[in-house]
Amino acid sequence: MAKTRILIVGGGFAGVYAAMGLERLVGRDPDVEIGLVSRENYLVFQPMLPEVISGSIGITDTLAPIRRLCPRTNLYTRAVESIDLKRRRVNAAAGFGSRQCALEYDHLVVAVGNQTSFAGQPGLLEHALPFKYLGDALVLRNHVIHVLEEADIERDPEVRRTLLTFVVAGGGFSGVEAIAELNDFVRRSARAFRNLDPREIRTVLLHAGSVILPELPESLGRFAQKVLVKRGVEIRFGTRLHGATAESAILASGERIPTRTLVSTVPSAPNPLVASLPVRKDRGRIVVDEFLRVPDHPGLWSAGDCASVLDRATGQPHPPTAQHAIREARCLAANLVATLRGRPLRPFAFSALGKLGALGHRSAVAEVFGVRLAGFLAWWLWRTIYLMKLPGLDRKLRVATDWTLDLLLPPDIVQLKTDRASSIRREHFEAGETIFREGDRGDRLYVVVDGEVEVVRKDAALGEVVLCKLGAGESFGEIALVSEGVRTATVRSLTPVNVLTLDRETFHSLFAHFPPLRGFFEDLIQRRLAPPMG
Amino acid sequence: MAKTRILIVGGGFAGVYAAMGLERLVGRDPDVEIGLVSRENYLVFQPMLPEVISGSIGITDTLAPIRRLCPRTNLYTRAVESIDLKRRRVNAAAGFGSRQCALEYDHLVVAVGNQTSFAGQPGLLEHALPFKYLGDALVLRNHVIHVLEEADIERDPEVRRTLLTFVVAGGGFSGVEAIAELNDFVRRSARAFRNLDPREIRTVLLHAGSVILPELPESLGRFAQKVLVKRGVEIRFGTRLHGATAESAILASGERIPTRTLVSTVPSAPNPLVASLPVRKDRGRIVVDEFLRVPDHPGLWSAGDCASVLDRATGQPHPPTAQHAIREARCLAANLVATLRGRPLRPFAFSALGKLGALGHRSAVAEVFGVRLAGFLAWWLWRTIYLMKLPGLDRKLRVATDWTLDLLLPPDIVQLKTDRASSIRREHFEAGETIFREGDRGDRLYVVVDGEVEVVRKDAALGEVVLCKLGAGESFGEIALVSEGVRTATVRSLTPVNVLTLDRETFHSLFAHFPPLRGFFEDLIQRRLAPPMG
């Protein structure tokens, strides 16, 4: 008799708790095989991510290795490339080497969650820091330390102001938790920098509504506002973020806040894998029945943020939170096993236990079973509940130790440069910005993706001379790269411009070894260095 | 009266201890300004790096923030680009933006250490993992977990063997400490993987001599060998590493050991900054007098691994170790201040206190004040001495906590993918290797840097047909990238070949927005898809 193969796609709360539920029910049944495909080999305990910013929790301590949570599941640490419902097959990315990996299944659980998306906001993709995944928290932490390092040795007051302004967009749970931790961390860390005056630091929260934390009753939102303002956070109400450049946050009103640190807790977008599935969807989420089955697709199940599960009390879909994902996953596992065993299924029913929002430094707001809490008690409750929920005894012990040490020790200001400055990246400029100045170091090549720029040079007699205008597909900045010198002209954007940029090393390794490119750039440089282009 | 500006270049033991020494002597003197330029904002406590591999010490706990060690020093967290001795100026890299940063000095302390270099060993730069910096330890740790993840789901026995073989080249202190930690970590972690049999794991130490740890008396080397062999390490004596490919370590004898994990504790090479200085050098190190001054260059000083300081007892230069760097730095600081104050200088004199080598899991070897120790006692001594030496009380507390938790908890197998697969990288192939196979997934474009490859295709009637040969400057692999399909031919190396490869995303973002490249590749693809190229 062939084994029944259950495959789970997604390593978040829904996927991992589904595997744990299945293991409990059929893990020792030799006729059932459980597989889980996850991009990472760990489950991120999201509620503690903000504390990774400040380093009060060790980097890996919010992560639980999936293998230890579900030891009887085959874990495939791979990205999923496509799902073929007809052939009942999931294609995973290649590991070492280039062989593809096709996984066949009898039952498939889709639990891929959603994604962040900056679509429609110019410059955010290029210059805003998202805040959803562990990687985001690490990048943000290192970026903040980098900014402090630079501010400490910067003398230009305007540049200092830009470096020492920190903006978070979005006054919901994640935005508030992010600004609270960021504010605490920046202000505590600044003490280790000899040339920084704490009064130079500005932290700003942008919020579209009139009271923050709209998920909670207004009184708690107002309490949270008071706490944040007392700690030095500036809250801008009725304000929406329009876009960003490398040096500013642009508000919908047109106002610009000069900053090098813009955190955006962005609205989530459907996962492209979900979008590609030929099943019924509601606002991008897979519609499932009350048993968490996908209608008309026997053997297909879904739970978590990517599934639209109706709350039978309200008729509305359940919100995409961890609490719901965990309960849905357990119910799904029970119903899947009941289906295998020919037993009756049970419908999903759950009402949220409560909502908790941390405000950093021993304060929080909470609504639990309808009771409102604020301040130290809510914070204590927050820590206790999340420590209990943190999967795995070893993580509990590590986080408890972290918290104890954090009471005793100053914040850790080590800057781990994990993300090497990427060799090829995108940048966005609004109209009228200077992309580089004559005399600057030439460290990147630019290719215009869309928009228009002008190349100008100062002339002793004529003042500023426009040498040329460049549009999509044209490149600039190659002269200083090849001569290893400084910029021979200034380039400014005439319209909003998106560019692709290559760093010096990439430019050289690519063009040294690739004759057609070398030829192209040699011609281009010769043309541009010849009069009248100067 | 102008301030006296002392600038230190380098953030290792020598640089940081020089700053600490100067602060103690003149830190409160308003007429002296101390500056330190360091690429990172932390000092790495090198002796504990091997424990970062196994995660028994938290990632950041071996790092001491430089600002906290020398709070009265201006820290410039920048790379140094050049030193201009004539104009007494150091040029640092740009921070945010592209403005260069020139630092002027009256006294300059050069303490930039040395660098690793894989020169002359084909394929090592591309495929071996170095082991010197913190980044190396993190990369190695994540690579090992990645390999275990892949082995767990791999069914091909040959590929499994390659994945589960771990090779370290070099039987000196750092090689032995690396293989000891690696061996412990792999064997302990494998238990969390359901499809791995510990007997499949092979760990190999390559050593050119006949007894490992040549720095120590032979009896201790033999003891260390026994400990390692008992724990499952295979030691290959009289063996030198010749080179590497992605899937094997190539020995000088021509023998290949199939492996995906080759760690090389490489010989160090002079820092390019030192090479560029017009001062007298001995085997790449800056020659200094007994007061740590650079002769004929008033105001120029050097200490640490980049300085050649003669041992007055033996007439030989002192070895490049942390113990020596720290003592040299203290002596240098005292002599620099004595020079400012017009007081007599004192010559450098120090004989090493002892040598310690950790063997992992509660064993070590040591020679301290001429006394030989081996086993648990040496290990206890190792931990105690290094914990005492670890700079900063907070780090001491953190490491002590880490060690305590490590006794209680299983090893951490979280794989933090810090190094995104770089978009452009180099690869090396020996003659006769398959670069990719017809039918493989097409995920990279290749440009030949040197060497020759052949493109072949299977033909039902004719067997294997050679389509063409390609050499330096030519590219292949573009067809599958553009069509998003599988490889339409097999490519093999005819000679040793170095290639530059671009991943799919880079290829597309570069070529979608850059018409000259698009044109070139469109032509190339058309030519290659047309008969007779198939």
Side-chain angles (χ1 to χ4, degrees), chain A residues 39 41 67-68 77-78 81 149-150 411 413 417 441, chain B residues 39 41 67-68 77-78 81 149-150 411 413 417 441:
Chain A
R39 192 185 296 264
N41 78 350
R67 292 183 184 284
R68 296 207 202 280
T77 314
R78 299 277 183 91
E81 299 204 321
E149 292 286 347
E150 287 295 319
I413 53 164
K417 295 176 184 161
R441 264 171 97 240
Chain B
R39 192 186 295 264
N41 78 350
R67 293 184 183 282
R68 295 206 202 280
T77 313
R78 299 276 182 93
E81 298 204 322
E149 292 286 346
E150 287 295 319
I413 53 165
K417 295 174 186 164
R441 266 173 93 239

PDB file of all heavy atoms in Angstrom, chain A residues 39 41 67-68 77-78 81 149-150 411 413 417 441, chain B residues 39 41 67-68 77-78 81 149-150 411 413 417 441:
ATOM      1  N   ARG A  39      11.207  28.399   3.246  1.00  0.00           N
ATOM      2  CA  ARG A  39      12.383  29.090   2.754  1.00  0.00           C
ATOM      3  C   ARG A  39      13.483  29.092   3.816  1.00  0.00           C
ATOM      4  O   ARG A  39      14.654  28.966   3.514  1.00  0.00           O
ATOM      5  CB  ARG A  39      11.996  30.525   2.426  1.00  0.00           C
ATOM      6  CG  ARG A  39      13.018  31.297   1.648  1.00  0.00           C
ATOM      7  CD  ARG A  39      12.556  32.734   1.513  1.00  0.00           C
ATOM      8  NE  ARG A  39      11.343  32.854   0.749  1.00  0.00           N
ATOM      9  CZ  ARG A  39      11.312  33.142  -0.559  1.00  0.00           C
ATOM     10  NH1 ARG A  39      12.422  33.345  -1.211  1.00  0.00           N
ATOM     11  NH2 ARG A  39      10.172  33.233  -1.189  1.00  0.00           N
ATOM     12  N   ASN A  41      14.947  27.656   7.762  1.00  0.00           N
ATOM     13  CA  ASN A  41      14.805  26.459   8.587  1.00  0.00           C
ATOM     14  C   ASN A  41      14.322  26.789   9.997  1.00  0.00           C
ATOM     15  O   ASN A  41      14.432  25.993  10.902  1.00  0.00           O
ATOM     16  CB  ASN A  41      16.102  25.625   8.587  1.00  0.00           C
ATOM     17  CG  ASN A  41      17.183  26.181   9.485  1.00  0.00           C
ATOM     18  OD1 ASN A  41      17.074  27.283   9.999  1.00  0.00           O
ATOM     19  ND2 ASN A  41      18.233  25.406   9.688  1.00  0.00           N
ATOM     20  N   ARG A  67      12.994  22.010  12.664  1.00  0.00           N
ATOM     21  CA  ARG A  67      13.272  20.585  12.887  1.00  0.00           C
ATOM     22  C   ARG A  67      13.030  20.142  14.317  1.00  0.00           C
ATOM     23  O   ARG A  67      12.698  18.987  14.561  1.00  0.00           O
ATOM     24  CB  ARG A  67      14.738  20.283  12.588  1.00  0.00           C
ATOM     25  CG  ARG A  67      15.060  20.413  11.158  1.00  0.00           C
ATOM     26  CD  ARG A  67      16.483  20.043  10.858  1.00  0.00           C
ATOM     27  NE  ARG A  67      16.687  20.300   9.460  1.00  0.00           N
ATOM     28  CZ  ARG A  67      16.230  19.515   8.499  1.00  0.00           C
ATOM     29  NH1 ARG A  67      15.599  18.393   8.808  1.00  0.00           N
ATOM     30  NH2 ARG A  67      16.396  19.826   7.242  1.00  0.00           N
ATOM     31  N   ARG A  68      13.259  21.047  15.258  1.00  0.00           N
ATOM     32  CA  ARG A  68      13.061  20.647  16.648  1.00  0.00           C
ATOM     33  C   ARG A  68      11.588  20.717  17.026  1.00  0.00           C
ATOM     34  O   ARG A  68      11.140  20.029  17.931  1.00  0.00           O
ATOM     35  CB  ARG A  68      13.869  21.543  17.578  1.00  0.00           C
ATOM     36  CG  ARG A  68      15.364  21.417  17.379  1.00  0.00           C
ATOM     37  CD  ARG A  68      16.109  21.763  18.655  1.00  0.00           C
ATOM     38  NE  ARG A  68      17.483  22.143  18.376  1.00  0.00           N
ATOM     39  CZ  ARG A  68      18.474  21.275  18.137  1.00  0.00           C
ATOM     40  NH1 ARG A  68      18.232  19.979  18.159  1.00  0.00           N
ATOM     41  NH2 ARG A  68      19.690  21.709  17.885  1.00  0.00           N
ATOM     42  N   THR A  77      14.226  22.845   3.052  1.00  0.00           N
ATOM     43  CA  THR A  77      14.545  24.266   3.225  1.00  0.00           C
ATOM     44  C   THR A  77      14.801  24.873   1.855  1.00  0.00           C
ATOM     45  O   THR A  77      15.933  25.049   1.434  1.00  0.00           O
ATOM     46  CB  THR A  77      15.764  24.443   4.138  1.00  0.00           C
ATOM     47  OG1 THR A  77      15.594  23.606   5.264  1.00  0.00           O
ATOM     48  CG2 THR A  77      15.888  25.870   4.612  1.00  0.00           C
ATOM     49  N   ARG A  78      13.753  25.155   1.164  1.00  0.00           N
ATOM     50  CA  ARG A  78      13.834  25.644  -0.201  1.00  0.00           C
ATOM     51  C   ARG A  78      12.720  26.645  -0.424  1.00  0.00           C
ATOM     52  O   ARG A  78      11.701  26.607   0.253  1.00  0.00           O
ATOM     53  CB  ARG A  78      13.593  24.474  -1.189  1.00  0.00           C
ATOM     54  CG  ARG A  78      14.584  23.338  -1.107  1.00  0.00           C
ATOM     55  CD  ARG A  78      15.813  23.637  -1.893  1.00  0.00           C
ATOM     56  NE  ARG A  78      16.755  22.537  -1.889  1.00  0.00           N
ATOM     57  CZ  ARG A  78      16.799  21.557  -2.781  1.00  0.00           C
ATOM     58  NH1 ARG A  78      15.912  21.545  -3.764  1.00  0.00           N
ATOM     59  NH2 ARG A  78      17.706  20.609  -2.717  1.00  0.00           N
ATOM     60  N   GLU A  81       8.769  27.355  -6.088  1.00  0.00           N
ATOM     61  CA  GLU A  81       8.699  28.112  -7.342  1.00  0.00           C
ATOM     62  C   GLU A  81       7.329  28.043  -7.977  1.00  0.00           C
ATOM     63  O   GLU A  81       6.875  29.008  -8.560  1.00  0.00           O
ATOM     64  CB  GLU A  81       9.778  27.624  -8.308  1.00  0.00           C
ATOM     65  CG  GLU A  81      11.162  27.828  -7.702  1.00  0.00           C
ATOM     66  CD  GLU A  81      12.244  27.923  -8.736  1.00  0.00           C
ATOM     67  OE1 GLU A  81      12.175  27.173  -9.730  1.00  0.00           O
ATOM     68  OE2 GLU A  81      13.173  28.735  -8.549  1.00  0.00           O
ATOM     69  N   GLU A 149      26.929  56.293  13.791  1.00  0.00           N
ATOM     70  CA  GLU A 149      28.373  56.352  13.540  1.00  0.00           C
ATOM     71  C   GLU A 149      28.714  57.542  12.653  1.00  0.00           C
ATOM     72  O   GLU A 149      29.666  58.271  12.897  1.00  0.00           O
ATOM     73  CB  GLU A 149      28.853  55.074  12.828  1.00  0.00           C
ATOM     74  CG  GLU A 149      28.791  53.801  13.651  1.00  0.00           C
ATOM     75  CD  GLU A 149      29.877  53.745  14.697  1.00  0.00           C
ATOM     76  OE1 GLU A 149      30.822  54.550  14.630  1.00  0.00           O
ATOM     77  OE2 GLU A 149      29.774  52.916  15.607  1.00  0.00           O
ATOM     78  N   GLU A 150      27.923  57.703  11.587  1.00  0.00           N
ATOM     79  CA  GLU A 150      28.198  58.776  10.641  1.00  0.00           C
ATOM     80  C   GLU A 150      27.916  60.139  11.265  1.00  0.00           C
ATOM     81  O   GLU A 150      28.674  61.091  11.064  1.00  0.00           O
ATOM     82  CB  GLU A 150      27.359  58.597   9.375  1.00  0.00           C
ATOM     83  CG  GLU A 150      27.824  57.461   8.491  1.00  0.00           C
ATOM     84  CD  GLU A 150      29.211  57.718   7.925  1.00  0.00           C
ATOM     85  OE1 GLU A 150      29.490  58.857   7.535  1.00  0.00           O
ATOM     86  OE2 GLU A 150      30.030  56.768   7.903  1.00  0.00           O
ATOM     87  N   PRO A 411      22.987  49.016  26.004  1.00  0.00           N
ATOM     88  CA  PRO A 411      22.597  48.412  24.722  1.00  0.00           C
ATOM     89  C   PRO A 411      23.818  48.088  23.872  1.00  0.00           C
ATOM     90  O   PRO A 411      24.842  48.745  23.971  1.00  0.00           O
ATOM     91  CB  PRO A 411      21.742  49.492  24.054  1.00  0.00           C
ATOM     92  CG  PRO A 411      22.112  50.762  24.721  1.00  0.00           C
ATOM     93  CD  PRO A 411      22.526  50.416  26.109  1.00  0.00           C
ATOM     94  N   ILE A 413      25.960  48.079  20.754  1.00  0.00           N
ATOM     95  CA  ILE A 413      26.025  48.950  19.572  1.00  0.00           C
ATOM     96  C   ILE A 413      26.944  48.394  18.502  1.00  0.00           C
ATOM     97  O   ILE A 413      27.465  49.124  17.668  1.00  0.00           O
ATOM     98  CB  ILE A 413      26.461  50.383  19.941  1.00  0.00           C
ATOM     99  CG1 ILE A 413      27.770  50.335  20.735  1.00  0.00           C
ATOM    100  CG2 ILE A 413      25.385  51.120  20.693  1.00  0.00           C
ATOM    101  CD1 ILE A 413      28.455  51.681  20.811  1.00  0.00           C
ATOM    102  N   LYS A 417      27.785  44.178   9.732  1.00  0.00           N
ATOM    103  CA  LYS A 417      27.449  44.516   8.345  1.00  0.00           C
ATOM    104  C   LYS A 417      27.072  43.260   7.582  1.00  0.00           C
ATOM    105  O   LYS A 417      27.872  42.703   6.849  1.00  0.00           O
ATOM    106  CB  LYS A 417      28.623  45.229   7.690  1.00  0.00           C
ATOM    107  CG  LYS A 417      28.892  46.557   8.352  1.00  0.00           C
ATOM    108  CD  LYS A 417      30.106  47.242   7.795  1.00  0.00           C
ATOM    109  CE  LYS A 417      30.389  48.526   8.570  1.00  0.00           C
ATOM    110  NZ  LYS A 417      31.759  48.989   8.398  1.00  0.00           N
ATOM    111  N   ARG A 441      33.406  61.885  -5.441  1.00  0.00           N
ATOM    112  CA  ARG A 441      34.058  60.639  -5.788  1.00  0.00           C
ATOM    113  C   ARG A 441      33.175  59.882  -6.765  1.00  0.00           C
ATOM    114  O   ARG A 441      31.960  59.815  -6.584  1.00  0.00           O
ATOM    115  CB  ARG A 441      34.165  59.752  -4.559  1.00  0.00           C
ATOM    116  CG  ARG A 441      35.456  59.833  -3.864  1.00  0.00           C
ATOM    117  CD  ARG A 441      35.320  59.083  -2.594  1.00  0.00           C
ATOM    118  NE  ARG A 441      35.835  57.738  -2.757  1.00  0.00           N
ATOM    119  CZ  ARG A 441      35.131  56.649  -2.598  1.00  0.00           C
ATOM    120  NH1 ARG A 441      33.871  56.691  -2.311  1.00  0.00           N
ATOM    121  NH2 ARG A 441      35.716  55.487  -2.715  1.00  0.00           N
TER     122      ARG A 441
ATOM    123  N   ARG B  39      37.396  49.818  10.107  1.00  0.00           N
ATOM    124  CA  ARG B  39      36.347  49.426   9.181  1.00  0.00           C
ATOM    125  C   ARG B  39      35.078  49.046   9.950  1.00  0.00           C
ATOM    126  O   ARG B  39      33.974  49.339   9.534  1.00  0.00           O
ATOM    127  CB  ARG B  39      36.831  48.225   8.379  1.00  0.00           C
ATOM    128  CG  ARG B  39      35.988  47.871   7.194  1.00  0.00           C
ATOM    129  CD  ARG B  39      36.504  46.587   6.608  1.00  0.00           C
ATOM    130  NE  ARG B  39      37.839  46.744   6.067  1.00  0.00           N
ATOM    131  CZ  ARG B  39      38.087  46.990   4.773  1.00  0.00           C
ATOM    132  NH1 ARG B  39      37.090  47.105   3.932  1.00  0.00           N
ATOM    133  NH2 ARG B  39      39.315  47.107   4.344  1.00  0.00           N
ATOM    134  N   ASN B  41      32.915  48.846  13.817  1.00  0.00           N
ATOM    135  CA  ASN B  41      32.867  49.606  15.059  1.00  0.00           C
ATOM    136  C   ASN B  41      33.114  48.734  16.286  1.00  0.00           C
ATOM    137  O   ASN B  41      32.810  49.115  17.393  1.00  0.00           O
ATOM    138  CB  ASN B  41      31.561  50.418  15.168  1.00  0.00           C
ATOM    139  CG  ASN B  41      30.355  49.584  15.575  1.00  0.00           C
ATOM    140  OD1 ASN B  41      30.417  48.361  15.607  1.00  0.00           O
ATOM    141  ND2 ASN B  41      29.269  50.253  15.899  1.00  0.00           N
ATOM    142  N   ARG B  67      33.784  51.980  20.839  1.00  0.00           N
ATOM    143  CA  ARG B  67      33.425  53.214  21.553  1.00  0.00           C
ATOM    144  C   ARG B  67      33.409  53.049  23.055  1.00  0.00           C
ATOM    145  O   ARG B  67      33.649  53.998  23.791  1.00  0.00           O
ATOM    146  CB  ARG B  67      32.024  53.674  21.154  1.00  0.00           C
ATOM    147  CG  ARG B  67      31.950  54.118  19.754  1.00  0.00           C
ATOM    148  CD  ARG B  67      30.584  54.665  19.405  1.00  0.00           C
ATOM    149  NE  ARG B  67      30.630  54.997  17.993  1.00  0.00           N
ATOM    150  CZ  ARG B  67      31.213  56.096  17.527  1.00  0.00           C
ATOM    151  NH1 ARG B  67      31.729  56.971  18.356  1.00  0.00           N
ATOM    152  NH2 ARG B  67      31.258  56.307  16.240  1.00  0.00           N
ATOM    153  N   ARG B  68      33.037  51.850  23.498  1.00  0.00           N
ATOM    154  CA  ARG B  68      32.982  51.657  24.944  1.00  0.00           C
ATOM    155  C   ARG B  68      34.370  51.396  25.517  1.00  0.00           C
ATOM    156  O   ARG B  68      34.620  51.649  26.683  1.00  0.00           O
ATOM    157  CB  ARG B  68      32.052  50.499  25.291  1.00  0.00           C
ATOM    158  CG  ARG B  68      30.608  50.759  24.918  1.00  0.00           C
ATOM    159  CD  ARG B  68      29.654  49.956  25.800  1.00  0.00           C
ATOM    160  NE  ARG B  68      28.376  49.778  25.153  1.00  0.00           N
ATOM    161  CZ  ARG B  68      27.417  50.715  25.129  1.00  0.00           C
ATOM    162  NH1 ARG B  68      27.614  51.861  25.720  1.00  0.00           N
ATOM    163  NH2 ARG B  68      26.283  50.478  24.505  1.00  0.00           N
ATOM    164  N   THR B  77      34.246  55.113  11.627  1.00  0.00           N
ATOM    165  CA  THR B  77      33.954  53.762  11.163  1.00  0.00           C
ATOM    166  C   THR B  77      33.947  53.757   9.647  1.00  0.00           C
ATOM    167  O   THR B  77      32.907  53.813   9.008  1.00  0.00           O
ATOM    168  CB  THR B  77      32.602  53.277  11.706  1.00  0.00           C
ATOM    169  OG1 THR B  77      32.551  53.577  13.083  1.00  0.00           O
ATOM    170  CG2 THR B  77      32.447  51.790  11.539  1.00  0.00           C
ATOM    171  N   ARG B  78      35.106  53.711   9.088  1.00  0.00           N
ATOM    172  CA  ARG B  78      35.281  53.808   7.644  1.00  0.00           C
ATOM    173  C   ARG B  78      36.448  52.933   7.237  1.00  0.00           C
ATOM    174  O   ARG B  78      37.341  52.662   8.037  1.00  0.00           O
ATOM    175  CB  ARG B  78      35.650  55.262   7.267  1.00  0.00           C
ATOM    176  CG  ARG B  78      34.615  56.306   7.621  1.00  0.00           C
ATOM    177  CD  ARG B  78      33.559  56.404   6.568  1.00  0.00           C
ATOM    178  NE  ARG B  78      32.582  57.442   6.863  1.00  0.00           N
ATOM    179  CZ  ARG B  78      32.653  58.692   6.420  1.00  0.00           C
ATOM    180  NH1 ARG B  78      33.675  59.068   5.680  1.00  0.00           N
ATOM    181  NH2 ARG B  78      31.714  59.561   6.702  1.00  0.00           N
ATOM    182  N   GLU B  81      41.352  54.417   2.538  1.00  0.00           N
ATOM    183  CA  GLU B  81      41.655  54.221   1.119  1.00  0.00           C
ATOM    184  C   GLU B  81      43.111  54.494   0.803  1.00  0.00           C
ATOM    185  O   GLU B  81      43.695  53.821  -0.030  1.00  0.00           O
ATOM    186  CB  GLU B  81      40.747  55.098   0.266  1.00  0.00           C
ATOM    187  CG  GLU B  81      39.284  54.714   0.476  1.00  0.00           C
ATOM    188  CD  GLU B  81      38.400  55.091  -0.675  1.00  0.00           C
ATOM    189  OE1 GLU B  81      38.616  56.161  -1.254  1.00  0.00           O
ATOM    190  OE2 GLU B  81      37.490  54.297  -0.982  1.00  0.00           O
ATOM    191  N   GLU B 149      21.114  20.648   5.837  1.00  0.00           N
ATOM    192  CA  GLU B 149      19.739  20.741   5.339  1.00  0.00           C
ATOM    193  C   GLU B 149      19.587  20.021   4.001  1.00  0.00           C
ATOM    194  O   GLU B 149      18.627  19.281   3.773  1.00  0.00           O
ATOM    195  CB  GLU B 149      19.332  22.218   5.119  1.00  0.00           C
ATOM    196  CG  GLU B 149      19.200  23.062   6.365  1.00  0.00           C
ATOM    197  CD  GLU B 149      17.948  22.742   7.145  1.00  0.00           C
ATOM    198  OE1 GLU B 149      17.059  22.065   6.600  1.00  0.00           O
ATOM    199  OE2 GLU B 149      17.871  23.147   8.308  1.00  0.00           O
ATOM    200  N   GLU B 150      20.556  20.256   3.113  1.00  0.00           N
ATOM    201  CA  GLU B 150      20.479  19.657   1.788  1.00  0.00           C
ATOM    202  C   GLU B 150      20.698  18.152   1.856  1.00  0.00           C
ATOM    203  O   GLU B 150      20.024  17.382   1.167  1.00  0.00           O
ATOM    204  CB  GLU B 150      21.517  20.298   0.859  1.00  0.00           C
ATOM    205  CG  GLU B 150      21.166  21.705   0.425  1.00  0.00           C
ATOM    206  CD  GLU B 150      19.917  21.735  -0.442  1.00  0.00           C
ATOM    207  OE1 GLU B 150      19.757  20.853  -1.314  1.00  0.00           O
ATOM    208  OE2 GLU B 150      19.082  22.641  -0.237  1.00  0.00           O
ATOM    209  N   PRO B 411      22.635  22.311  20.386  1.00  0.00           N
ATOM    210  CA  PRO B 411      23.212  23.355  19.544  1.00  0.00           C
ATOM    211  C   PRO B 411      22.135  24.040  18.699  1.00  0.00           C
ATOM    212  O   PRO B 411      21.136  23.437  18.339  1.00  0.00           O
ATOM    213  CB  PRO B 411      24.199  22.608  18.653  1.00  0.00           C
ATOM    214  CG  PRO B 411      23.777  21.197  18.695  1.00  0.00           C
ATOM    215  CD  PRO B 411      23.121  20.971  20.022  1.00  0.00           C
ATOM    216  N   ILE B 413      20.565  25.360  15.512  1.00  0.00           N
ATOM    217  CA  ILE B 413      20.730  25.039  14.090  1.00  0.00           C
ATOM    218  C   ILE B 413      19.984  26.008  13.191  1.00  0.00           C
ATOM    219  O   ILE B 413      19.636  25.696  12.073  1.00  0.00           O
ATOM    220  CB  ILE B 413      20.278  23.596  13.776  1.00  0.00           C
ATOM    221  CG1 ILE B 413      18.859  23.366  14.295  1.00  0.00           C
ATOM    222  CG2 ILE B 413      21.243  22.592  14.355  1.00  0.00           C
ATOM    223  CD1 ILE B 413      18.216  22.138  13.721  1.00  0.00           C
ATOM    224  N   LYS B 417      20.557  33.393   6.820  1.00  0.00           N
ATOM    225  CA  LYS B 417      21.136  33.613   5.495  1.00  0.00           C
ATOM    226  C   LYS B 417      21.607  35.052   5.377  1.00  0.00           C
ATOM    227  O   LYS B 417      20.921  35.885   4.789  1.00  0.00           O
ATOM    228  CB  LYS B 417      20.129  33.264   4.416  1.00  0.00           C
ATOM    229  CG  LYS B 417      19.801  31.790   4.440  1.00  0.00           C
ATOM    230  CD  LYS B 417      18.706  31.428   3.475  1.00  0.00           C
ATOM    231  CE  LYS B 417      18.326  29.969   3.645  1.00  0.00           C
ATOM    232  NZ  LYS B 417      17.043  29.657   3.032  1.00  0.00           N
ATOM    233  N   ARG B 441      18.204  23.339 -14.849  1.00  0.00           N
ATOM    234  CA  ARG B 441      17.583  24.658 -14.766  1.00  0.00           C
ATOM    235  C   ARG B 441      18.576  25.713 -15.194  1.00  0.00           C
ATOM    236  O   ARG B 441      19.730  25.674 -14.787  1.00  0.00           O
ATOM    237  CB  ARG B 441      17.234  24.978 -13.320  1.00  0.00           C
ATOM    238  CG  ARG B 441      15.862  24.621 -12.945  1.00  0.00           C
ATOM    239  CD  ARG B 441      15.721  24.821 -11.479  1.00  0.00           C
ATOM    240  NE  ARG B 441      15.207  26.144 -11.202  1.00  0.00           N
ATOM    241  CZ  ARG B 441      15.822  27.045 -10.480  1.00  0.00           C
ATOM    242  NH1 ARG B 441      17.012  26.817 -10.000  1.00  0.00           N
ATOM    243  NH2 ARG B 441      15.250  28.191 -10.241  1.00  0.00           N
TER     244      ARG B 441
END
